[in-house]
Amino acid sequence: MKTINDWLDDKYEEMATSPGFSNKLSDFEQQAAILRDQAKAEGYSTKDLSEECGGNIAAHLMNRVNTRNRAEIRRKAEKNLTE
């Protein structure tokens, strides 16, 4: 079984690249509820998930996804500068 951190890393990628995903707070709240259910179904406790996310799953998801998106934008900009 993966660590909760590794499991979350996979989920961030899946979430950020899924069609129709938006950066609205309500979407992150909904995704947090889905992640809690998925974690439980895969053998992780809600407590472990919450602790891994610093106590606020939705805020943690928002920070991770937004950080990933900013990094992608930066990579594209740097690539355009070198071309």
Side-chain angles (χ1 to χ4, degrees):
M1 186 166 162
K2 293 180 181 180
T3 66
I4 189 77
N5 186 37
D6 290 339
W7 182 81
L8 273 173
D9 284 344
D10 292 344
K11 294 298 177 181
Y12 298 135
E13 182 69 24
E14 180 183 310
M15 180 179 33
T17 59
S18 64
F21 181 77
S22 79
N23 288 330
K24 290 188 219 171
L25 178 59
S26 60
D27 291 332
F28 285 105
E29 301 261 347
Q30 183 179 29
Q31 188 62 39
I34 291 167
L35 275 180
R36 278 190 292 275
D37 291 342
Q38 289 176 337
K40 188 174 181 179
E42 294 186 36
Y44 301 99
S45 73
T46 300
K47 180 183 175 193
D48 289 342
L49 178 62
S50 182
E51 286 176 359
E52 185 66 32
C53 294
N56 188 331
I57 299 167
H60 185 76
L61 292 174
M62 188 182 310
N63 288 335
R64 285 291 301 259
V65 170
N66 288 336
T67 297
R68 180 190 177 282
N69 289 345
R70 284 191 300 272
E72 183 64 28
I73 290 168
R74 188 172 28 250
R75 277 192 294 273
K76 286 180 182 178
E78 289 171 356
K79 181 180 177 188
N80 289 337
L81 289 175
T82 60
E83 292 180 345

